[in-house]
């Protein structure tokens, strides 16, 4: 394989981006982890270091493996340099169509002609993101939707738009297998497969709380103990991030014309108050520091 084929650019070093960088680096990819502000890219790599330190403490990896994985992740704040020579791009920036389209347009002028352009979007149609690049590149634009925490969750949804090439799907399938994960393929419909099922469920849990049918603890316990879910829906919402979830719900409700996918008022209120879930220390539940 050429250098470009083993060089990846991960855009966005947040909750998902740092995990995606980790699994790619663990599989031997040289990863540029890009954020417009270098401190955030470095913070993303620090999160990977913390994950790896936990794995080391549990005896799952040795110190040499930790150092090798971390050594393959280079934080970057200059897009042209980070994109040069990348064979694979995985975009994991904010769930905002305009931001993603602007990034893809910039990438179109920077990455090699044969680069695969994957997006981790949860809900934005791949065709709309693909429209931001030149027509001759649209075959390489594909959804590669990971689940959190990325190093743990076994699934990747592959999402094809009408213009995605068979060769792009084959390449993503090979990468997913290389990461030790399983792929399912979805058509380019809002929410794909998993979030189409999950979002109404999370919304209903929020409406139960709004109505006062049960407390947050009772709603979560009901799902854990009555449905055998590992995590209650409100705790899961906090884990995903309430700002991200709000964006997903708005996009899905509009795209599907389905009010039961729309964000309940309580979600809008929590986001407006800066209660973004686990990442801000509070959401539906509280997460005291440490
Ligand atoms: N949270 C989840 O459970 C989850 C699961 C699957 C997919 N996703 C999707 O992954 C993407 C990222 O979500 P997240 O939860 O990691 O959000 P996040 O808020 O944790 O991280 C997003 C990061 O993108 C950065 N960013 C914003 N604009 C950028 C730009 N132009 N270039 C580079 N970086 C930029 C931000 O600084 C931030 O660090 C979204 O599309 C989301 O829908 C999220």
């Amino acid at each position: 394989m050429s250098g470009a084929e083993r060089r990846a650019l991960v855009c966005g070093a947040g909750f998902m981006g740092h995990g995606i960088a980790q699994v790619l680096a663990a599989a031997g990819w040289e990863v540029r982890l890009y954020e417009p502000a270098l401190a955030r890219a470095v913070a993303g790599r620090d999160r990977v270091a913390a994950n790896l330190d936990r794995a080391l403490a549990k005896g799952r990896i040795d110190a040499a493996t930790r150092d090798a994985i971390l050594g393959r992740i280079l934080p970057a704040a200059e897009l042209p340099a980070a994109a040069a020579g990348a064979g694979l791009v995985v975009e994991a920036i904010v769930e905002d169509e305009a931001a993603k389209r602007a990034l893809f347009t910039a990438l179109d002028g920077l990455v090699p002609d044969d680069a695969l352009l994957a997006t981790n979007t949860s809900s934005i149609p791949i065709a709309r993101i693909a429209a931001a690049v030149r027509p001759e590149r649209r075959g390489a634009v594909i959804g590669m939707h990971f689940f959190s925490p990325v190093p743990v969750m076994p699934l990747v949804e592959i999402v094809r738009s009408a213009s995605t090439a068979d060769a792009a799907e084959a390449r993503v399938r090979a990468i997913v297998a290389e990461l030790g994960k399983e792929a399912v393929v979805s058509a380019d419909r809002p929410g794909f497969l998993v979030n189409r099922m999950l979002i109404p469920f999370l919304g209903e849990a929020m409406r139960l709380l709004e109505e006062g049918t049960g407390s947050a603890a009772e709603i979560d316990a009901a799902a854990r103990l009555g449905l055998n879910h590992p995590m209650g829906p409100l705790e899961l919402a906090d884990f995903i991030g309430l700002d991200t979830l709000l964006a997903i719900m708005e996009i899905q409700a509009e795209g599907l014309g389905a009010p039961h996918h729309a964000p309940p008022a309580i979600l809008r209120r929590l986001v407006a108050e800066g209660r973004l879930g686990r990442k801000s220390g509070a959401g539906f539940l509280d997460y005291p520091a440490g």
Side-chain angles (χ1 to χ4, degrees):
M1 269 190 180
S2 75
E5 281 171 333
R6 301 300 295 167
R7 169 96 59 88
L9 166 65
V10 176
C11 296
F15 185 51
M16 297 303 291
H18 88 276
I20 294 167
Q22 178 177 331
V23 297
L24 285 170
W29 289 74
E30 295 291 332
V31 180
R32 302 288 188 275
L33 183 55
Y34 166 74
E35 284 263 346
L38 187 61
R40 291 190 73 98
V42 171
R45 193 182 55 175
D46 289 347
R47 288 173 85 169
V48 176
N51 293 345
L52 295 172
D53 284 343
R54 274 195 301 277
L56 182 63
K58 288 179 183 159
R60 293 199 184 125
I61 56 171
D62 58 24
T65 303
R66 173 203 181 273
D67 293 347
I69 295 171
L70 216 48
R72 283 193 286 270
I73 300 177
L74 210 68
E78 299 299 328
L79 192 59
L88 166 68
V89 176
V90 184
E91 171 276 311
I93 71 166
V94 280
E95 187 73 343
D96 178 279
E97 185 177 329
K100 289 189 192 290
R101 287 175 58 105
L103 179 63
F104 272 74
T105 299
L107 289 168
D108 192 8
L110 296 171
V111 293
D113 287 342
D114 59 352
L116 193 58
L117 293 176
T119 169
N120 186 49
T121 181
S122 301
S123 53
I124 299 168
I126 307 306
R128 296 232 284 263
I129 296 173
V133 303
R134 286 168 294 154
E136 57 269 34
R137 249 210 220 276
R138 289 183 192 150
V141 178
I142 190 162
M144 191 175 185
H145 186 217
F146 289 84
F147 294 83
S148 61
V150 177
V152 176
M153 294 293 278
L155 184 68
V156 177
E157 276 181 313
I158 298 176
V159 188
R160 296 189 59 149
S161 81
S163 54
T164 302
D166 291 344
E169 181 189 329
R171 283 170 71 191
V172 174
R173 276 188 181 281
I175 295 165
V176 170
E178 193 194 331
L179 301 180
K181 297 192 184 293
E182 299 283 335
V184 292
V185 177
S186 172
D188 195 14
R189 296 272 297 144
F192 317 132
L193 299 175
V194 173
N195 282 343
R196 181 74 176 267
M197 297 186 275
L198 176 67
I199 291 302
F201 172 64
L202 298 188
E204 210 53 33
M206 294 174 202
R207 283 184 277 273
L208 284 171
L209 183 66
E210 268 177 344
E211 294 163 13
T213 306
S215 68
E218 285 160 337
I219 292 164
D220 275 358
R224 279 198 315 274
L225 306 176
L227 301 174
N228 207 19
H229 287 194
M231 196 184 265
L234 300 174
E235 189 185 358
L236 178 56
D238 280 349
F239 189 64
I240 292 169
L242 301 189
D243 51 345
T244 302
L245 202 51
L246 176 60
I248 293 170
M249 291 180 122
E250 283 173 337
I251 294 164
Q252 282 190 209
E254 195 204 329
L256 295 166
H260 64 293
H261 285 255
I266 191 169
L267 179 63
R268 289 188 190 285
R269 180 166 60 73
L270 290 174
V271 172
E273 289 170 358
R275 292 174 68 106
L276 305 182
R278 201 174 263 276
K279 64 182 162 190
S280 72
F284 286 102
L285 310 169
D286 288 318
Y287 305 91

CSV table of all heavy atoms in Angstrom, one decimal, residues 208-262:
chain,number,residue,atom,x,y,z
A,208,LEU,N,-41.9,11.6,28.8
A,208,LEU,CA,-42.4,11.0,30.0
A,208,LEU,C,-41.9,11.8,31.2
A,208,LEU,O,-42.7,12.0,32.2
A,208,LEU,CB,-41.8,9.5,30.2
A,208,LEU,CG,-42.4,8.4,29.3
A,208,LEU,CD1,-41.6,7.2,29.4
A,208,LEU,CD2,-43.9,8.2,29.8
A,209,LEU,N,-40.7,12.3,31.1
A,209,LEU,CA,-40.1,13.2,32.2
A,209,LEU,C,-40.9,14.5,32.2
A,209,LEU,O,-41.3,14.9,33.3
A,209,LEU,CB,-38.6,13.4,31.9
A,209,LEU,CG,-37.9,14.2,33.0
A,209,LEU,CD1,-37.9,13.4,34.3
A,209,LEU,CD2,-36.5,14.5,32.6
A,210,GLU,N,-41.1,15.1,31.1
A,210,GLU,CA,-41.9,16.4,31.0
A,210,GLU,C,-43.2,16.2,31.6
A,210,GLU,O,-43.7,17.1,32.3
A,210,GLU,CB,-42.1,16.8,29.5
A,210,GLU,CG,-41.0,17.7,28.9
A,210,GLU,CD,-41.2,18.0,27.5
A,210,GLU,OE1,-42.0,17.2,26.8
A,210,GLU,OE2,-40.6,18.9,27.0
A,211,GLU,N,-43.9,15.1,31.3
A,211,GLU,CA,-45.3,14.9,31.8
A,211,GLU,C,-45.3,14.6,33.3
A,211,GLU,O,-46.4,14.6,33.9
A,211,GLU,CB,-45.9,13.7,31.1
A,211,GLU,CG,-46.2,13.8,29.6
A,211,GLU,CD,-46.4,12.4,29.1
A,211,GLU,OE1,-46.6,11.4,29.8
A,211,GLU,OE2,-46.4,12.3,27.8
A,212,GLY,N,-44.2,14.2,33.8
A,212,GLY,CA,-44.2,13.8,35.2
A,212,GLY,C,-44.6,12.4,35.4
A,212,GLY,O,-45.0,12.0,36.6
A,213,THR,N,-44.6,11.6,34.4
A,213,THR,CA,-45.0,10.2,34.5
A,213,THR,C,-44.1,9.4,35.4
A,213,THR,O,-44.4,8.5,36.1
A,213,THR,CB,-45.1,9.5,33.2
A,213,THR,OG1,-46.0,10.3,32.3
A,213,THR,CG2,-45.7,8.1,33.3
A,214,GLY,N,-42.8,9.8,35.4
A,214,GLY,CA,-41.8,9.2,36.3
A,214,GLY,C,-40.6,10.2,36.4
A,214,GLY,O,-40.5,11.1,35.6
A,215,SER,N,-39.8,9.9,37.4
A,215,SER,CA,-38.6,10.7,37.5
A,215,SER,C,-37.5,10.2,36.5
A,215,SER,O,-37.7,9.1,36.0
A,215,SER,CB,-38.0,10.6,39.0
A,215,SER,OG,-37.6,9.2,39.1
A,216,ALA,N,-36.5,11.0,36.4
A,216,ALA,CA,-35.4,10.6,35.5
A,216,ALA,C,-34.8,9.2,35.9
A,216,ALA,O,-34.6,8.3,35.1
A,216,ALA,CB,-34.3,11.6,35.4
A,217,ALA,N,-34.6,9.1,37.2
A,217,ALA,CA,-34.1,7.8,37.7
A,217,ALA,C,-35.0,6.6,37.4
A,217,ALA,O,-34.6,5.5,37.0
A,217,ALA,CB,-33.8,7.9,39.2
A,218,GLU,N,-36.3,6.9,37.6
A,218,GLU,CA,-37.3,5.8,37.3
A,218,GLU,C,-37.4,5.4,35.9
A,218,GLU,O,-37.5,4.3,35.5
A,218,GLU,CB,-38.7,6.2,37.9
A,218,GLU,CG,-38.7,6.1,39.4
A,218,GLU,CD,-39.9,7.0,40.0
A,218,GLU,OE1,-40.3,7.9,39.4
A,218,GLU,OE2,-40.2,6.6,41.2
A,219,ILE,N,-37.4,6.5,35.0
A,219,ILE,CA,-37.5,6.2,33.6
A,219,ILE,C,-36.3,5.4,33.1
A,219,ILE,O,-36.4,4.4,32.4
A,219,ILE,CB,-37.6,7.5,32.8
A,219,ILE,CG1,-38.9,8.2,33.1
A,219,ILE,CG2,-37.4,7.3,31.3
A,219,ILE,CD1,-39.0,9.7,32.7
A,220,ASP,N,-35.1,5.8,33.6
A,220,ASP,CA,-33.9,5.0,33.2
A,220,ASP,C,-33.9,3.6,33.8
A,220,ASP,O,-33.5,2.7,33.1
A,220,ASP,CB,-32.6,5.8,33.7
A,220,ASP,CG,-32.2,6.9,32.7
A,220,ASP,OD1,-32.9,7.0,31.6
A,220,ASP,OD2,-31.2,7.6,32.9
A,221,ALA,N,-34.3,3.5,35.0
A,221,ALA,CA,-34.4,2.1,35.6
A,221,ALA,C,-35.4,1.3,34.9
A,221,ALA,O,-35.2,0.1,34.7
A,221,ALA,CB,-34.7,2.2,37.1
A,222,ALA,N,-36.5,1.9,34.4
A,222,ALA,CA,-37.5,1.1,33.7
A,222,ALA,C,-36.9,0.5,32.4
A,222,ALA,O,-37.2,-0.7,32.1
A,222,ALA,CB,-38.7,2.0,33.4
A,223,ALA,N,-36.1,1.3,31.7
A,223,ALA,CA,-35.5,0.8,30.5
A,223,ALA,C,-34.4,-0.3,30.8
A,223,ALA,O,-34.3,-1.3,30.1
A,223,ALA,CB,-35.0,1.9,29.6
A,224,ARG,N,-33.6,0.0,31.8
A,224,ARG,CA,-32.6,-0.9,32.2
A,224,ARG,C,-33.1,-2.3,32.6
A,224,ARG,O,-32.7,-3.3,32.1
A,224,ARG,CB,-31.7,-0.4,33.3
A,224,ARG,CG,-30.6,0.6,32.8
A,224,ARG,CD,-29.5,0.8,33.9
A,224,ARG,NE,-30.1,0.9,35.2
A,224,ARG,CZ,-30.4,2.1,35.8
A,224,ARG,NH1,-30.3,3.2,35.1
A,224,ARG,NH2,-30.9,2.1,37.0
A,225,LEU,N,-34.1,-2.2,33.5
A,225,LEU,CA,-34.6,-3.5,34.1
A,225,LEU,C,-35.7,-4.1,33.4
A,225,LEU,O,-35.9,-5.3,33.4
A,225,LEU,CB,-35.0,-3.2,35.6
A,225,LEU,CG,-33.9,-2.5,36.4
A,225,LEU,CD1,-34.4,-2.2,37.8
A,225,LEU,CD2,-32.7,-3.4,36.5
A,226,GLY,N,-36.5,-3.3,32.7
A,226,GLY,CA,-37.7,-3.8,32.0
A,226,GLY,C,-37.4,-4.1,30.5
A,226,GLY,O,-38.1,-5.0,29.9
A,227,LEU,N,-36.4,-3.5,30.0
A,227,LEU,CA,-36.1,-3.7,28.5
A,227,LEU,C,-34.7,-4.3,28.4
A,227,LEU,O,-34.3,-4.6,27.3
A,227,LEU,CB,-36.1,-2.4,27.7
A,227,LEU,CG,-37.5,-1.7,27.7
A,227,LEU,CD1,-37.3,-0.3,27.0
A,227,LEU,CD2,-38.6,-2.5,27.0
A,228,ASN,N,-34.0,-4.5,29.5
A,228,ASN,CA,-32.7,-5.1,29.5
A,228,ASN,C,-31.7,-4.2,28.7
A,228,ASN,O,-30.8,-4.7,28.1
A,228,ASN,CB,-32.7,-6.5,29.0
A,228,ASN,CG,-31.5,-7.3,29.5
A,228,ASN,OD1,-31.0,-7.0,30.5
A,228,ASN,ND2,-31.2,-8.4,28.8
A,229,HIS,N,-31.9,-2.9,28.7
A,229,HIS,CA,-30.9,-2.0,28.1
A,229,HIS,C,-29.8,-1.7,29.1
A,229,HIS,O,-30.0,-1.6,30.3
A,229,HIS,CB,-31.6,-0.6,27.8
A,229,HIS,CG,-32.6,-0.7,26.6
A,229,HIS,ND1,-33.0,0.4,26.0
A,229,HIS,CD2,-33.1,-1.8,26.0
A,229,HIS,CE1,-33.8,0.0,25.0
A,229,HIS,NE2,-33.9,-1.3,25.0
A,230,PRO,N,-28.5,-1.6,28.6
A,230,PRO,CA,-27.4,-1.4,29.5
A,230,PRO,C,-27.4,-0.1,30.1
A,230,PRO,O,-26.8,0.1,31.2
A,230,PRO,CB,-26.2,-1.6,28.6
A,230,PRO,CG,-26.7,-1.4,27.2
A,230,PRO,CD,-28.1,-1.8,27.2
A,231,MET,N,-28.1,0.9,29.5
A,231,MET,CA,-28.1,2.3,30.0
A,231,MET,C,-29.5,2.8,29.8
A,231,MET,O,-30.1,2.5,28.8
A,231,MET,CB,-27.1,3.0,29.1
A,231,MET,CG,-26.7,4.4,29.6
A,231,MET,SD,-25.6,5.1,28.4
A,231,MET,CE,-24.0,4.7,29.0
A,232,GLY,N,-30.0,3.6,30.7
A,232,GLY,CA,-31.3,4.2,30.5
A,232,GLY,C,-31.3,5.3,29.4
A,232,GLY,O,-30.2,5.8,29.1
A,233,PRO,N,-32.5,5.6,28.8
A,233,PRO,CA,-32.5,6.6,27.7
A,233,PRO,C,-32.0,8.0,28.0
A,233,PRO,O,-31.4,8.7,27.2
A,233,PRO,CB,-33.9,6.6,27.2
A,233,PRO,CG,-34.7,6.0,28.4
A,233,PRO,CD,-33.8,5.1,29.1
A,234,LEU,N,-32.3,8.4,29.3
A,234,LEU,CA,-31.9,9.8,29.6
A,234,LEU,C,-30.4,9.8,29.9
A,234,LEU,O,-29.7,10.8,29.5
A,234,LEU,CB,-32.6,10.3,30.8
A,234,LEU,CG,-34.2,10.3,30.6
A,234,LEU,CD1,-34.9,10.7,31.9
A,234,LEU,CD2,-34.5,11.3,29.5
A,235,GLU,N,-29.8,8.8,30.5
A,235,GLU,CA,-28.4,8.7,30.7
A,235,GLU,C,-27.7,8.6,29.3
A,235,GLU,O,-26.7,9.2,29.0
A,235,GLU,CB,-28.1,7.5,31.5
A,235,GLU,CG,-26.6,7.4,31.9
A,235,GLU,CD,-26.2,6.1,32.7
A,235,GLU,OE1,-27.1,5.3,32.9
A,235,GLU,OE2,-25.1,6.0,33.0
A,236,LEU,N,-28.3,7.8,28.4
A,236,LEU,CA,-27.8,7.7,27.0
A,236,LEU,C,-27.8,9.1,26.3
A,236,LEU,O,-26.8,9.4,25.6
A,236,LEU,CB,-28.6,6.6,26.2
A,236,LEU,CG,-28.1,6.4,24.8
A,236,LEU,CD1,-26.6,6.1,24.7
A,236,LEU,CD2,-29.0,5.3,24.1
A,237,ALA,N,-28.9,9.8,26.5
A,237,ALA,CA,-29.0,11.1,25.8
A,237,ALA,C,-27.8,12.0,26.3
A,237,ALA,O,-27.2,12.7,25.6
A,237,ALA,CB,-30.3,11.8,26.1
A,238,ASP,N,-27.6,12.0,27.7
A,238,ASP,CA,-26.5,12.8,28.2
A,238,ASP,C,-25.2,12.3,27.7
A,238,ASP,O,-24.2,13.1,27.5
A,238,ASP,CB,-26.5,12.6,29.8
A,238,ASP,CG,-27.5,13.5,30.5
A,238,ASP,OD1,-28.1,14.3,29.8
A,238,ASP,OD2,-27.7,13.2,31.7
A,239,PHE,N,-25.0,11.0,27.5
A,239,PHE,CA,-23.8,10.4,27.0
A,239,PHE,C,-23.5,10.9,25.5
A,239,PHE,O,-22.4,11.3,25.2
A,239,PHE,CB,-23.9,8.9,27.0
A,239,PHE,CG,-22.6,8.2,26.8
A,239,PHE,CD1,-21.5,8.4,27.6
A,239,PHE,CD2,-22.4,7.4,25.7
A,239,PHE,CE1,-20.3,7.7,27.4
A,239,PHE,CE2,-21.2,6.7,25.5
A,239,PHE,CZ,-20.2,6.9,26.3
A,240,ILE,N,-24.6,10.9,24.7
A,240,ILE,CA,-24.4,11.4,23.3
A,240,ILE,C,-24.1,12.8,23.3
A,240,ILE,O,-23.3,13.3,22.4
A,240,ILE,CB,-25.7,11.1,22.6
A,240,ILE,CG1,-26.0,9.6,22.4
A,240,ILE,CG2,-25.8,11.8,21.2
A,240,ILE,CD1,-27.4,9.2,21.9
A,241,GLY,N,-24.6,13.6,24.2
A,241,GLY,CA,-24.4,15.1,24.2
A,241,GLY,C,-25.7,15.7,23.7
A,241,GLY,O,-26.2,15.5,22.6
A,242,LEU,N,-26.3,16.6,24.6
A,242,LEU,CA,-27.7,17.1,24.3
A,242,LEU,C,-27.7,18.1,23.1
A,242,LEU,O,-28.7,18.2,22.4
A,242,LEU,CB,-28.3,17.7,25.6
A,242,LEU,CG,-28.4,16.7,26.8
A,242,LEU,CD1,-29.2,17.4,27.9
A,242,LEU,CD2,-29.0,15.4,26.4
A,243,ASP,N,-26.6,18.8,22.9
A,243,ASP,CA,-26.5,19.7,21.8
A,243,ASP,C,-26.5,18.9,20.5
A,243,ASP,O,-27.2,19.2,19.5
A,243,ASP,CB,-25.3,20.7,21.9
A,243,ASP,CG,-24.0,20.0,22.2
A,243,ASP,OD1,-24.0,18.8,22.6
A,243,ASP,OD2,-22.9,20.6,22.0
A,244,THR,N,-25.7,17.9,20.5
A,244,THR,CA,-25.6,17.0,19.3
A,244,THR,C,-27.0,16.4,19.0
A,244,THR,O,-27.5,16.3,17.9
A,244,THR,CB,-24.5,15.9,19.5
A,244,THR,OG1,-23.3,16.6,19.7
A,244,THR,CG2,-24.4,15.0,18.3
A,245,LEU,N,-27.6,15.9,20.1
A,245,LEU,CA,-28.9,15.2,20.0
A,245,LEU,C,-30.0,16.2,19.5
A,245,LEU,O,-30.9,15.8,18.7
A,245,LEU,CB,-29.3,14.7,21.4
A,245,LEU,CG,-30.3,13.6,21.5
A,245,LEU,CD1,-29.9,12.4,20.5
A,245,LEU,CD2,-30.4,13.1,22.9
A,246,LEU,N,-30.0,17.4,20.0
A,246,LEU,CA,-30.9,18.4,19.5
A,246,LEU,C,-30.8,18.6,18.0
A,246,LEU,O,-31.8,18.7,17.3
A,246,LEU,CB,-30.7,19.8,20.3
A,246,LEU,CG,-31.5,21.0,19.9
A,246,LEU,CD1,-33.0,20.7,20.1
A,246,LEU,CD2,-31.1,22.2,20.7
A,247,ALA,N,-29.6,18.8,17.5
A,247,ALA,CA,-29.4,18.9,16.1
A,247,ALA,C,-29.9,17.7,15.3
A,247,ALA,O,-30.6,17.9,14.3
A,247,ALA,CB,-27.9,19.1,15.8
A,248,ILE,N,-29.6,16.5,15.8
A,248,ILE,CA,-30.0,15.3,15.2
A,248,ILE,C,-31.6,15.3,15.1
A,248,ILE,O,-32.2,15.0,14.1
A,248,ILE,CB,-29.5,14.1,15.9
A,248,ILE,CG1,-28.0,14.0,15.8
A,248,ILE,CG2,-30.2,12.8,15.4
A,248,ILE,CD1,-27.3,12.9,16.7
A,249,MET,N,-32.2,15.6,16.2
A,249,MET,CA,-33.7,15.5,16.3
A,249,MET,C,-34.3,16.5,15.3
A,249,MET,O,-35.3,16.2,14.6
A,249,MET,CB,-34.2,15.7,17.7
A,249,MET,CG,-33.8,14.6,18.6
A,249,MET,SD,-34.4,14.8,20.3
A,249,MET,CE,-35.4,13.4,20.5
A,250,GLU,N,-33.7,17.7,15.2
A,250,GLU,CA,-34.3,18.7,14.3
A,250,GLU,C,-34.2,18.3,12.9
A,250,GLU,O,-35.1,18.4,12.1
A,250,GLU,CB,-33.6,20.1,14.5
A,250,GLU,CG,-34.0,20.8,15.8
A,250,GLU,CD,-33.2,22.0,16.1
A,250,GLU,OE1,-32.1,22.1,15.7
A,250,GLU,OE2,-33.8,22.9,16.8
A,251,ILE,N,-33.0,17.7,12.5
A,251,ILE,CA,-32.8,17.3,11.1
A,251,ILE,C,-33.7,16.1,10.8
A,251,ILE,O,-34.3,16.1,9.7
A,251,ILE,CB,-31.3,16.9,11.0
A,251,ILE,CG1,-30.4,18.2,11.1
A,251,ILE,CG2,-31.1,16.2,9.6
A,251,ILE,CD1,-28.9,17.9,11.3
A,252,GLN,N,-33.8,15.2,11.7
A,252,GLN,CA,-34.6,14.0,11.4
A,252,GLN,C,-36.1,14.3,11.3
A,252,GLN,O,-36.8,13.9,10.5
A,252,GLN,CB,-34.4,12.9,12.5
A,252,GLN,CG,-33.2,12.1,12.3
A,252,GLN,CD,-33.0,10.9,13.1
A,252,GLN,OE1,-31.9,10.5,13.4
A,252,GLN,NE2,-34.1,10.2,13.5
A,253,ALA,N,-36.6,15.2,12.2
A,253,ALA,CA,-38.0,15.6,12.2
A,253,ALA,C,-38.4,16.3,10.9
A,253,ALA,O,-39.4,16.0,10.3
A,253,ALA,CB,-38.3,16.5,13.4
A,254,GLU,N,-37.4,17.2,10.5
A,254,GLU,CA,-37.7,17.9,9.2
A,254,GLU,C,-37.6,16.9,8.0
A,254,GLU,O,-38.4,16.9,7.2
A,254,GLU,CB,-36.7,19.1,9.1
A,254,GLU,CG,-37.2,20.0,8.1
A,254,GLU,CD,-36.0,20.9,7.5
A,254,GLU,OE1,-35.1,21.1,8.2
A,254,GLU,OE2,-36.1,21.2,6.3
A,255,GLY,N,-36.5,16.2,8.0
A,255,GLY,CA,-36.3,15.3,6.9
A,255,GLY,C,-37.3,14.2,6.7
A,255,GLY,O,-37.6,13.8,5.6
A,256,LEU,N,-37.9,13.7,7.8
A,256,LEU,CA,-38.8,12.7,7.7
A,256,LEU,C,-40.3,13.2,7.7
A,256,LEU,O,-41.2,12.5,7.5
A,256,LEU,CB,-38.7,11.7,8.9
A,256,LEU,CG,-37.4,10.9,8.9
A,256,LEU,CD1,-37.1,10.2,10.2
A,256,LEU,CD2,-37.4,9.8,7.8
A,257,GLY,N,-40.4,14.5,8.1
A,257,GLY,CA,-41.7,15.1,8.3
A,257,GLY,C,-42.5,14.3,9.4
A,257,GLY,O,-43.7,14.1,9.3
A,258,ALA,N,-41.7,14.0,10.5
A,258,ALA,CA,-42.2,13.1,11.5
A,258,ALA,C,-42.1,13.8,12.9
A,258,ALA,O,-41.0,13.9,13.5
A,258,ALA,CB,-41.5,11.8,11.6
A,259,PRO,N,-43.3,14.3,13.4
A,259,PRO,CA,-43.2,15.1,14.7
A,259,PRO,C,-42.7,14.2,15.9
A,259,PRO,O,-42.1,14.8,16.8
A,259,PRO,CB,-44.6,15.5,15.0
A,259,PRO,CG,-45.4,15.2,13.7
A,259,PRO,CD,-44.6,14.3,12.9
A,260,HIS,N,-42.8,12.9,15.8
A,260,HIS,CA,-42.3,12.1,16.9
A,260,HIS,C,-40.8,12.0,16.9
A,260,HIS,O,-40.2,11.4,17.8
A,260,HIS,CB,-43.0,10.7,17.0
A,260,HIS,CG,-42.7,9.9,15.8
A,260,HIS,ND1,-43.1,10.1,14.5
A,260,HIS,CD2,-42.0,8.7,15.7
A,260,HIS,CE1,-42.7,9.2,13.7
A,260,HIS,NE2,-42.0,8.3,14.4
A,261,HIS,N,-40.1,12.6,15.9
A,261,HIS,CA,-38.7,12.6,15.9
A,261,HIS,C,-38.2,14.0,16.4
A,261,HIS,O,-37.0,14.3,16.6
A,261,HIS,CB,-38.1,12.4,14.5
A,261,HIS,CG,-38.1,11.0,14.1
A,261,HIS,ND1,-37.0,10.2,14.1
A,261,HIS,CD2,-39.1,10.2,13.8
A,261,HIS,CE1,-37.3,8.9,13.7
A,261,HIS,NE2,-38.6,8.9,13.5
A,262,ALA,N,-39.1,14.9,16.7
A,262,ALA,CA,-38.8,16.3,17.0
A,262,ALA,C,-38.3,16.5,18.4
A,262,ALA,O,-38.8,15.7,19.3
A,262,ALA,CB,-40.0,17.2,16.7
